[in-house]
Amino acid sequence: MKDIQNQDDLLQLVTLFYEKLLADESISYIFTEVVKIKLEEHLPILVTFWSQAVLGTGGYTHNLTQIHLEVSEKSYLSPELFKIWLGHFNNSVDALFTGEKAEQIKTNALSIATIMQIKIHQQKQQ
């Protein structure tokens, strides 16, 4: 298996990841009922985000934290949901890639999930 090298690799990754998320009834409702994402619009944004994070390309302009806080206001994003999200993400990476960038993207995902959970907890305390 090869390592993550470019945006095509990232598109392959996020496509598989969302296939897993949407097939899992314990989390899919967040994307189909709460947010009602349009994959054709969402996947390129994710590619840009992860490309900036692991390939250093830049270009991501959204506020990742604010987006997740707003989703959590509509439907609480619990630690269990983050655990499911992270499991599907890591499984998707491991199914497709191996190497330094693959490990980096999994570490970044864990950091993001941890920070989001802290921010969501802080929001609930206010």
Side-chain angles (χ1 to χ4, degrees), residues 17-18 31 42 45-50 52-53 60-72 77 82 85 108-117 119-120 123:
F17 174 50
Y18 268 79
F31 305 96
H42 191 59
I45 293 169
L46 292 174
V47 168
T48 301
F49 172 81
W50 286 115
Q52 178 170 300
Y60 183 79
T61 58
H62 301 281
N63 184 331
L64 184 67
T65 302
Q66 189 59 40
I67 291 166
H68 287 84
L69 289 174
E70 290 172 6
V71 171
S72 192
L77 297 178
F82 278 99
W85 179 90
N108 287 5
L110 175 60
S111 296
I112 290 165
T114 302
I115 291 166
M116 291 301 156
Q117 289 176 78
K119 297 286 189 182
I120 288 167
Q123 181 183 51

Side-chain angles (χ1 to χ4, degrees), residues 10 20 22 25-26 29 33 52 54 60 62 65 67 71 105 109 113:
L10 292 169
K20 291 178 182 296
L22 295 174
E25 291 180 8
S26 64
Y29 72 94
E33 297 171 29
Q52 178 170 300
V54 297
Y60 183 79
H62 301 281
T65 302
I67 291 166
V71 171
I105 203 169

